[in-house]
Amino acid sequence: MATTWRSALSLYMLLLMVSRGLSLASDGNKIEPVDTKQDTRSGSHGEAASSSDSGSEVNVTLTTLPIVSWKWEHVSEPYLVALWIIVCWLCKLIIEANHHVTNVIPESALLIGFGFILGGIVWGADLAQTFKLSQRTFFFFLLPQIILDTGYSMPNKLFFGNLGGILVYAIIGTCWNAASLALSLWGCQKGGAMGDLDIGFLQYLLFGSLIAAVDPVAVIAVFEQVHVNEVLFILVFGESLLNDGVTVVLFNVCDAFVTLGGSKINAVEIIKGIISFFVVAFGGSLLGFAFGILISLLTRCTKNIQIIEAGFVFILGYLSYLTAEMLSLSAILSIVFCGICCQKYINANMDESSVNTVRYAMKVFANGSETIIFVFLGISAIDKTIWVWNTGFILLTLFFILIYRFMGTFILTWILNRFRLVPIGLIDQVIISYGGLRGAVAYGLAVMLDETRIKEKNLMLCTTLIVVYFTVIIQGITMKPLVTWLNVKKASVSEDSLIEKVQNKVFDHMLVAIEDISGQIGHNYMRDKWNNFEDKWLSKLLLKPSVRKNRDNIFAVFHRLNLKDAMSYVAEGERKGSLEFIRNESAFIDFTKKFDDKFSEVMSDIMADTSSHYNRGSSMRRDPVPSVCLEVHEQAIKGMNGVEDSHHLLQQHLYKGRKQHLHRYSRSNFSVNTDENEVQEIFQRTMRRRLESFKSAKMGVAPPKKISKHTKKDQQQKKPNGNSADKCKSYHSGDEDFEFSEADSANGYDVPGSLPMRVTYRAGAGIENPTFMPDPDPTASMHIPPWLADTEVDSSIAAPSQRAQVRLPWTPSNLRRLAPLRLSTNSTDSFMLPEAPATQQRGNEQQPPSAPPPTKRHM
Amino acid sequence: MGASQTHSAYKYQDLMTKTGFSLEQIKNLHYRFRQLSENNETLSRENLENIKDLADNPIKKQIVEAFFDKRNQHQNEMGSFEEIGFEQFVMVMSHFRPPTPKMTEEEKLAMRKDKLHFLFNMHDSDNDGKITLEEYRKVVEELLSMSGDIEKDTARGIADAAMLEVASTNVPNMGPDDYYEGITFEHFEQMFKEVEMESRMHVRFLDVDTRTIHS
């Protein structure tokens, strides 16, 4: 789908990664530290070794028509890229297959280990490291999607709630790390601890700045496995994300200083440096916001190109990265804030399937390139040319990094805790300090160092590598035992519960109210003001009108739980066999056929392809409500076997009566009624409604108010009924006309006879009950011949409608959230008491003989 | 200056020990009280309802009512006031005090219970010690009344489902004929077992003089 072209694009990007080994000359990047002796076109290393000689055949003069020819040169670059990607991913596959290993050693460390092995193989074949992570590949093709993913899936409330702390750690902490490390190393060199090194103070500062930042990739990889509590996680994670941006900025400033040379640096230059720091950081963030808004705006109007709308998110995110890079603003911060800013709006604006595409594609790219990064971090190490050993320098760096990380964290936390209501505990501080993993960003920056100006570049590079290995492998492995040992508060795995969501909302409003009354301008007050502003302006600007109203958190949970319940209902029913018919293919086809026959003349255009869809059976996937399915699906698969069939079935039937839910979740289909299923559904509902009102008119009873609530259950319930053996005895033949959704195929009536009546209902109901026709449906009504419109609405209707009325409120008792509250679970009938006694009888009668769904499972 | 300082300290000493607010906080609140009541000794419902920022709050009614609820005064009384004085005002506010690091576990528990009682009373509008379905529905309906076009039926459905959740967690083996009458305080406590009430339900009362902001 939308991912194809994107993956093609990224493949093309990744191509450069490996191709660098082959096309040194063509790649005019001066920073590439690679291949000394290789000819550009030799292609005789690594996996390419066997094929090198055959590539030349192309140039041989053509004497006869070759049937096939070997064209390695033609494909070598993308081929190698693809090969490397698959090799890296296979490594991950192998690692993840051994859970007992990953429980002890984090995946990132294992990937680096695999990198060592692969690097060794390449080295063994070529006697040189032909494949390395170049900074260009890393910063342009591997990093952006990871950062975009983190921004996109950022828990916004948590992030902004702790933004103060995160910023303090990210900005002050990083500067502190860089400066203190530089000073100490410089001091040690002066003291003679490291022998004879040609590194000045500024260069130390440069080194300090590149190695100061905690790496988000490494941090996520490790922390995702230990499940610490969310505040702790967001502090470490947010810090690592933002300080990447900070460290790049710092690096650039220091780099400029080094280029300027010590003598030219005066107070003005330093002030300029500081100003540039802020301009770059905030400029990048603002640019990201701008792009986020752009994406949101764009997704407002991508209704007609739904297939590729998911792609916009990626490409605009990437553009925000590149634009920031072009303007020499902080690209990382830009793409982070782009993701943070747009997530809410695009999730609401885009079609559900697109949202899922984005979500998954994002994870595929991020996880994929994370894997590649770690493997290549390992591979890059197997290279004799970069290794320069200086025990003093390396050990001292390691030592200082650890020490200053702890010191910085403790000092900053002490300051923060004076302002925080819930102070950060000592144990959490230890974890934050210990979670200071360095990673690929530091390595990428180290590769960027200019050898002409920094003589000891290789020493810095391999020190960086060692620091990375030490933190990722050693600290990564010990993190889990440490967390257990210190008894760090873990994240509580809480189930979705409505009461919790409701209470959260009560809390929020209550606190705001108290602040308003007491006249304080506090946290809650600000948040409330922001929410109001967002509701009034941003949403109006960035959200589609159709979705603007319908994005309440509580409702989403309600809907999700409902779906879950319904699914377990079906699962249960299947297990007990009472819903066996659901799997029955013929039931479907019958239903469709019946439907089709009857309406083909009336709604030929709408129904045109319905039957074919139904018969194929696969069309259910196209339903407009796959929305929540994704999550629910996963959960379902975990717990139950063979739910899939019923799941698709549910998608098809569940949404039908759910008028309120329907337009909330079928976002793009909201205004235009294009979906055949939907049309059917409205038709059926209208029918039923019509029958009801007809009955009430006849009997002088007020029409039931909440038919919409019942219809859905009705749908479900009917299925068993339709199959039950005793069904027919209580029906009289005219019935069938009004039970369109019956799976039962007692189709012994003539089409022309039943047609007029139906048409009448359609038209009449549409007018009489506008509630049930949320969208005027021109296609349906225009086909009604006027002479048919007022043909007999005779007495034969009263009887079936009465029956329909009787059946409607009959609800399956175990759909707890779907059913109107009936706290006493005595029996299904208790709910019905106010209804006519006939209802009760009816309800009992209709219970499928084979095990009724369990009534008390929720208690 | 010093004299007035000690004077007011003396005046508020009682309140300070009762509510745990600091002198500055009480002074700030007193200033605000005067502002709201337009320099009267007592505060009426209209005074609170007229607060501009409160207009958008969906549960405004419940909040205002809570200030006039005698149950929130720690005195085992029921019913509600027509007007409240400063003392009552501060007592209600004291439910929203953040926990201090110096508190013992017992004090924290007491504070937690205190906050929960406040919340419970907000829901239990008829003082019978139970949040019945009707009462709960009402709160949820109002809560959702401002968010988009969630219809009343939906709000009701949500309330029902939430109630069922409470019922099913608290009365795990309910007989088929049992009727869940409503959430008692014990059940209510159970509901919030996981939530850190003492740190969640708080407002930061400023120590510094905020008059400049309001004047």
Side-chain angles (χ1 to χ4, degrees):
Chain A
M1 265 226 336
T3 55
T4 10
W5 61 270
R6 164 67 187 170
S7 53
L9 192 71
S10 76
L11 263 183
Y12 173 68
M13 294 161 178
L14 288 166
L15 163 164
L16 287 158
M17 173 178 71
V18 183
S19 71
R20 161 205 31 77
L22 297 166
S23 55
L24 183 71
S26 65
D27 196 352
N29 204 332
K30 58 181 187 297
I31 310 152
E32 311 283 57
V34 226
D35 312 20
T36 42
K37 46 193 173 184
Q38 239 84 18
D39 183 4
T40 329
R41 288 288 155 197
S42 80
S44 62
H45 30 253
E47 287 116 86
S50 59
S51 55
S52 56
D53 43 354
S54 40
S56 53
E57 264 176 42
V58 184
N59 301 332
V60 171
T61 336
L62 215 57
T63 51
T64 174
L65 184 76
I67 294 174
V68 283
S69 54
W70 181 265
K71 291 183 174 176
W72 165 253
E73 286 306 319
H74 192 56
V75 296
S76 62
E77 289 182 12
Y79 203 87
L80 280 176
V81 174
L83 270 182
W84 269 117
I85 293 173
I86 204 155
V87 166
C88 296
W89 289 359
L90 284 179
C91 290
K92 189 172 174 116
L93 184 84
I94 296 166
I95 289 166
E96 286 301 322
N98 299 299
H99 275 297
H100 51 280
V101 180
T102 45
N103 277 341
V104 184
I105 307 170
E107 188 194 286
S108 45
L110 287 170
L111 283 171
I112 291 182
F114 265 91
F116 290 151
I117 300 171
L118 287 174
I121 295 172
V122 175
W123 183 268
D126 290 2
L127 292 178
Q129 193 48 265
T130 356
F131 302 101
K132 280 199 268 196
L133 194 56
S134 79
Q135 59 86 24
R136 185 181 158 79
T137 315
F138 174 71
F139 279 109
F140 282 172
F141 308 129
L142 290 174
L143 191 60
Q145 57 263 48
I146 298 179
I147 307 288
L148 182 63
D149 174 57
T150 53
Y152 177 73
S153 48
M154 179 73 79
N156 273 355
K157 198 176 172 188
L158 206 56
F159 179 75
F160 286 106
N162 293 292
L163 189 63
I166 292 171
L167 281 179
V168 168
Y169 285 130
I171 297 176
I172 305 179
T174 307
C175 293
W176 154 261
N177 281 349
S180 58
L181 178 73
L183 268 174
S184 314
L185 283 179
W186 186 62
C188 288
Q189 193 201 343
K190 290 280 164 206
M194 295 182 275
D196 187 25
L197 281 180
D198 185 15
I199 304 178
F201 177 67
L202 281 176
Q203 286 159 344
Y204 273 121
L205 212 53
L206 187 61
F207 178 64
S209 69
L210 77 87
I211 213 163
V214 177
D215 185 64
V217 186
V219 164
I220 300 166
V222 168
F223 273 73
E224 255 179 6
Q225 297 184 338
V226 292
H227 305 294
V228 293
N229 64 70
E230 51 184 12
V231 174
L232 180 54
F233 180 76
I234 200 74
L235 282 177
V236 178
F237 174 55
E239 179 205 350
S240 67
L241 202 54
L242 294 192
N243 75 6
D244 260 349
V246 172
T247 200
V248 175
V249 177
L250 213 58
F251 178 82
N252 287 336
V253 172
C254 291
D255 198 33
F257 280 163
V258 171
T259 320
L260 276 176
S263 54
K264 284 193 195 130
I265 296 174
N266 48 28
V268 180
E269 296 297 330
I270 291 173
I271 290 170
K272 265 189 186 165
I274 294 169
I275 292 173
S276 127
F277 176 87
F278 283 102
V279 168
V280 169
F282 286 97
S285 312
L286 279 180
L287 191 76
F289 273 118
F291 266 91
I293 287 171
L294 192 66
I295 297 177
S296 310
L297 280 177
L298 204 64
T299 49
R300 270 189 73 161
C301 41
T302 48
K303 197 176 70 197
N304 297 327
I305 44 165
Q306 240 173 48
I307 298 297
I308 59 164
E309 71 182 346
F312 282 113
V313 179
F314 293 98
I315 209 64
L316 275 172
Y318 193 53
L319 266 181
S320 84
Y321 187 88
L322 293 181
T323 313
E325 195 70 48
M326 182 176 74
L327 300 172
S328 76
L329 298 174
S330 171
I332 294 176
L333 289 178
S334 168
I335 200 166
V336 166
F337 281 102
C338 177
I340 288 179
C341 174
C342 72
Q343 50 165 267
K344 182 173 175 184
Y345 303 109
I346 61 174
N347 283 354
N349 274 343
M350 286 195 309
D351 188 65
E352 278 297 333
S353 57
S354 305
V355 172
N356 287 333
T357 310
V358 170
R359 219 171 265 161
Y360 269 78
M362 202 79 102
K363 290 286 173 224
V364 171
F365 289 132
N367 217 313
S369 59
E370 186 188 301
T371 310
I372 297 169
I373 287 173
F374 279 123
V375 171
F376 270 85
L377 268 181
I379 292 177
S380 309
I382 312 297
D383 185 1
K384 260 192 205 158
T385 53
I386 62 162
W387 284 103
V388 183
W389 193 266
N390 182 323
T391 319
F393 186 80
I394 291 171
L395 287 185
L396 279 172
T397 307
L398 262 181
F399 175 73
F400 285 134
I401 280 178
L402 258 177
I403 292 297
Y404 288 127
R405 170 80 187 166
F406 272 92
M407 277 174 67
T409 310
F410 282 122
I411 294 170
L412 291 176
T413 316
W414 181 76
I415 297 169
L416 276 176
N417 274 350
R418 300 173 61 113
F419 299 98
R420 279 182 75 91
L421 185 86
V422 188
I424 302 165
L426 188 68
I427 291 170
D428 285 6
Q429 293 176 39
V430 172
I431 297 296
I432 292 176
S433 315
Y434 202 68
L437 308 180
R438 291 354 188 232
V441 172
Y443 174 75
L445 290 174
V447 174
M448 270 170 79
L449 290 173
D450 188 354
E451 221 160 344
T452 54
R453 276 174 282 142
I454 297 152
K455 300 283 185 300
E456 304 287 350
K457 175 190 169 180
N458 276 344
L459 177 60
M460 289 186 181
L461 188 62
C462 64
T463 309
T464 311
L465 275 176
I466 286 180
V467 169
V468 171
Y469 297 149
F470 179 83
T471 53
V472 171
I473 298 176
I474 307 288
Q475 286 181 215
I477 292 172
T478 48
M479 181 60 93
K480 211 170 183 177
L482 189 74
V483 167
T484 329
W485 182 61
L486 288 176
N487 210 355
V488 176
K489 212 170 98 199
K490 298 272 184 82
S492 56
V493 196
S494 64
E495 243 188 276
D496 262 351
S497 83
L498 262 180
I499 193 103
E500 194 190 314
K501 299 285 169 196
V502 172
Q503 288 309 330
N504 279 346
K505 203 157 175 145
V506 171
F507 267 138
D508 286 349
H509 287 301
M510 186 173 64
L511 294 181
V512 173
I514 295 297
E515 280 192 356
D516 287 340
I517 291 175
S518 69
Q520 319 276 342
I521 298 180
H523 211 212
N524 301 304
Y525 179 86
M526 300 305 276
R527 194 177 57 218
D528 190 52
K529 281 280 159 305
W530 164 255
N531 283 345
N532 281 346
F533 168 75
E534 198 189 14
D535 274 352
K536 270 194 194 129
W537 301 104
L538 278 184
S539 300
K540 207 165 276 179
L541 184 70
L542 301 178
L543 285 184
K544 276 190 202 168
S546 53
V547 295
R548 204 178 295 145
K549 296 173 188 165
N550 307 320
R551 38 185 196 92
D552 194 273
N553 200 5
I554 294 181
F555 185 81
V557 176
F558 182 56
H559 179 76
R560 204 155 59 228
L561 291 173
N562 270 346
L563 213 55
K564 216 158 95 185
D565 269 4
M567 281 190 54
S568 54
Y569 164 70
V570 169
E572 188 83 359
E574 286 210 318
R575 206 160 50 79
K576 299 207 164 181
S578 61
L579 289 174
E580 194 51 47
F581 66 93
I582 277 179
R583 293 263 179 79
N584 190 347
E585 269 295 309
S586 64
F588 260 126
I589 296 169
D590 276 345
F591 159 56
T592 318
K593 269 188 187 152
K594 183 174 148 197
F595 199 89
D596 219 351
D597 282 346
K598 289 202 274 179
F599 302 107
S600 52
E601 285 153 75
V602 195
M603 314 199 304
S604 54
D605 53 340
I606 304 166
M607 298 296 298
D609 53 352
T610 318
S611 59
S612 60
H613 276 316
Y614 271 90
N615 290 338
R616 260 190 278 118
S618 62
S619 65
M620 300 152 203
R621 280 153 226 255
R622 286 182 55 242
D623 272 344
V625 209
S627 53
V628 215
C629 300
L630 202 81
E631 287 146 274
V632 182
H633 206 118
E634 284 165 3
Q635 288 165 354
I637 285 171
K638 266 185 234 153
M640 317 155 193
N641 269 342
V643 192
E644 271 173 279
D645 290 311
S646 60
H647 179 65
H648 289 305
L649 203 100
L650 264 175
Q651 285 183 28
Q652 194 194 12
H653 289 276
L654 255 190
Y655 76 98
K656 283 199 171 163
R658 202 174 263 182
K659 174 185 154 260
Q660 297 143 310
H661 301 179
L662 183 69
H663 39 115
R664 288 192 169 85
Y665 281 88
S666 59
R667 287 177 169 126
S668 54
N669 285 337
F670 180 62
S671 50
V672 196
N673 224 349
T674 52
D675 192 283
E676 320 83 25
N677 295 338
E678 201 174 330
V679 172
Q680 274 181 31
E681 175 205 346
I682 288 170
F683 185 87
Q684 288 169 17
R685 267 201 264 111
T686 318
M687 273 308 295
R688 208 166 284 120
R689 175 69 176 176
R690 167 69 191 168
L691 289 172
E692 293 241 336
S693 56
F694 190 82
K695 181 214 167 193
S696 50
K698 279 223 156 182
M699 308 183 84
V701 187
K705 277 169 205 143
K706 292 190 296 174
I707 186 169
S708 59
K709 281 203 116 174
H710 305 311
T711 34
K712 158 145 186 299
K713 294 155 256 169
D714 194 34
Q715 288 284 340
Q716 284 192 327
Q717 205 53 42
K718 258 180 201 162
K719 295 296 168 191
N721 297 340
N723 220 28
S724 65
D726 61 338
K727 177 205 153 239
C728 292
K729 69 179 178 195
S730 51
Y731 289 13
H732 61 82
S733 63
D735 241 60
E736 301 294 335
D737 292 350
F738 305 96
E739 295 293 330
F740 304 119
S741 58
E742 286 290 355
D744 181 67
S745 62
N747 40 20
Y749 41 79
D750 50 344
V751 173
S754 54
L755 184 61
M757 282 194 294
R758 215 166 297 109
V759 172
T760 312
Y761 293 142
R762 178 101 185 104
I767 297 154
E768 261 183 53
N769 302 301
T771 37
F772 271 79
M773 304 289 293
D775 322 299
D777 189 359
T779 43
S781 51
M782 73 169 81
H783 286 267
I784 298 165
W787 67 90
L788 286 182
D790 11 309
T791 31
E792 28 150 24
V793 183
D794 64 3
S795 56
S796 72
I797 295 148
S801 66
Q802 193 163 5
R803 200 189 65 79
Q805 211 279 334
V806 159
R807 297 181 80 218
L808 278 174
W810 199 86
T811 57
S813 56
N814 64 335
L815 297 184
R816 50 175 165 165
R817 294 181 185 84
L818 303 176
L821 187 64
R822 197 185 56 253
L823 290 164
S824 155
T825 52
N826 190 0
S827 74
T828 46
D829 305 338
S830 65
F831 170 63
M832 304 301 311
L833 286 178
E835 308 279 346
T839 315
Q840 216 174 69
Q841 202 188 345
R842 186 82 215 171
N844 292 334
E845 233 175 70
Q846 300 234 324
Q847 199 109 10
S850 48
T855 40
K856 281 174 249 168
R857 48 166 282 277
H858 60 286
M859 281 297 134
Chain B
M1 201 60 198
S4 78
Q5 189 77 19
T6 47
H7 172 68
S8 57
Y10 175 75
K11 201 168 88 189
Y12 293 136
Q13 190 62 51
D14 197 29
L15 265 182
M16 278 163 67
T17 46
K18 250 198 218 165
T19 61
F21 281 123
S22 73
L23 183 62
E24 279 74 23
Q25 285 169 335
I26 289 194
K27 276 194 199 157
N28 278 337
L29 284 175
H30 190 242
Y31 178 79
R32 179 68 178 167
F33 181 80
R34 284 292 176 133
Q35 205 179 26
L36 290 177
S37 64
E38 287 149 356
N39 277 330
N40 291 320
E41 282 303 311
T42 55
L43 199 64
S44 67
R45 283 181 171 80
E46 285 79 53
N47 290 140
L48 289 186
E49 273 156 13
N50 288 340
I51 298 175
K52 204 172 83 241
D53 293 324
L54 221 51
D56 290 335
N57 207 314
I59 50 168
K60 167 180 162 187
K61 220 167 78 193
Q62 277 83 357
I63 302 278
V64 171
E65 205 45 54
F67 273 88
F68 295 89
D69 194 329
K70 284 187 182 162
R71 286 173 299 172
N72 291 335
Q73 302 293 337
H74 299 280
Q75 276 158 351
N76 295 328
E77 282 181 58
M78 299 276 207
S80 62
F81 296 105
E82 280 310 305
E83 293 195 319
I84 51 168
F86 180 57
E87 190 182 330
Q88 281 87 18
F89 182 74
V90 178
M91 285 302 267
V92 173
M93 282 292 176
S94 72
H95 287 94
F96 291 90
R97 237 156 23 87
T100 53
K102 288 187 284 272
M103 279 174 125
T104 63
E105 280 304 309
E106 275 167 38
E107 279 173 317
K108 265 190 190 156
L109 270 181
M111 179 176 236
R112 180 189 166 82
K113 207 154 188 163
D114 193 47
K115 285 175 193 284
L116 275 175
H117 261 297
F118 182 86
L119 205 60
F120 183 80
N121 293 342
M122 217 172 84
H123 286 82
D124 180 20
S125 45
D126 66 353
N127 288 353
D128 65 351
K130 276 197 185 95
I131 304 174
T132 58
L133 180 61
E134 284 306 312
E135 287 167 340
Y136 196 68
R137 273 183 180 166
K138 221 173 114 207
V139 175
V140 174
E141 269 168 29
E142 299 221 345
L143 187 67
L144 296 177
S145 60
M146 296 257 176
S147 45
D149 66 345
I150 290 192
E151 293 130 36
K152 229 173 175 176
D153 281 350
T154 316
R156 185 167 287 218
I158 290 174
D160 291 358
M163 195 79 171
L164 251 179
E165 272 176 9
V166 183
S168 61
T169 48
N170 284 307
V171 194
N173 37 12
M174 205 154 97
D177 289 321
D178 289 353
Y179 177 69
Y180 190 68
E181 288 164 348
I183 308 171
T184 60
F185 184 69
E186 284 70 41
H187 292 174
F188 199 69
E189 259 185 312
Q190 195 67 22
M191 266 161 60
F192 286 95
K193 207 172 54 203
E194 304 281 312
V195 188
E196 283 188 22
M197 287 297 292
E198 54 276 19
S199 49
R200 273 287 316 265
M201 191 172 141
H202 77 271
V203 169
R204 195 183 290 256
F205 293 100
L206 293 178
D207 276 337
V208 290
D209 204 333
T210 50
R211 271 166 229 204
T212 42
I213 298 167
H214 296 297
S215 55

